[in-house]
Amino acid sequence: MDNGIILIITFSIPLLLLLIYFIWLSKRKKRHAETLISDWNKFEKALSHEHINGIIKYGTELVWNENLTDSQMKKMKESVYDLAEEHTELENLKNLIYNKWLDWDKDIVGTP
């Protein structure tokens, strides 16, 4: 095979993979933005009815949503921590919230 063709293939395949990755990331970000409000409403409804499975399901979805706001995270932290004392099923969600809180807080603590 010609060296020029080998170079074109060698550089085009990683560029194609990079393009596919960025398209996937943009679609994921758009999907997260679309579902944030509905997931938040369902989470609050589950909290008001103390529906533990709903709190776990929608709370986990919200923790992994990249568009979650600081005020929403604070409300989740307060409400889930209070309920986790009564319901041990919420321990995993409590740990997820704590870890996300630490991840957000490390940028503030690490700056001089």
Side-chain angles (χ1 to χ4, degrees):
M1 223 194 290
D2 189 39
N3 286 341
I5 294 173
I6 293 173
L7 281 174
I8 290 172
I9 292 172
T10 302
F11 286 113
S12 63
I13 290 176
L15 287 176
L16 180 65
L17 291 175
L18 191 63
L19 180 67
I20 291 170
Y21 176 72
F22 280 116
I23 291 171
W24 176 78
L25 274 180
S26 68
K27 285 185 178 183
R28 187 184 86 179
K29 189 169 190 130
K30 184 178 178 183
R31 187 177 63 244
H32 279 193
E34 291 172 352
T35 62
L36 179 66
I37 295 172
S38 67
D39 285 346
W40 181 254
N41 290 336
K42 291 174 184 175
F43 177 75
E44 284 187 324
K45 185 177 180 181
L47 272 177
S48 65
H49 296 297
E50 289 193 21
H51 186 260
I52 301 303
N53 291 333
I55 294 171
I56 292 170
K57 178 181 177 183
Y58 296 111
T60 304
E61 289 290 323
L62 287 168
V63 167
W64 291 110
N65 193 317
E66 58 191 35
N67 295 314
L68 187 67
T69 64
D70 189 43
S71 61
Q72 289 172 328
M73 178 60 89
K74 285 179 184 177
K75 180 163 170 56
M76 284 180 68
K77 185 178 177 191
E78 292 168 359
S79 56
V80 171
Y81 276 42
D82 292 341
L83 280 175
E85 294 174 5
E86 301 169 21
H87 305 279
T88 58
E89 303 95 331
L90 293 172
E91 262 320 297
N92 191 28
L93 179 60
K94 180 181 169 184
N95 290 334
L96 283 174
I97 292 170
Y98 178 73
N99 287 333
K100 179 131 186 172
W101 188 263
L102 284 179
D103 184 47
W104 283 6
D105 205 31
K106 74 178 177 188
D107 296 331
I108 297 169
V109 173
T111 45

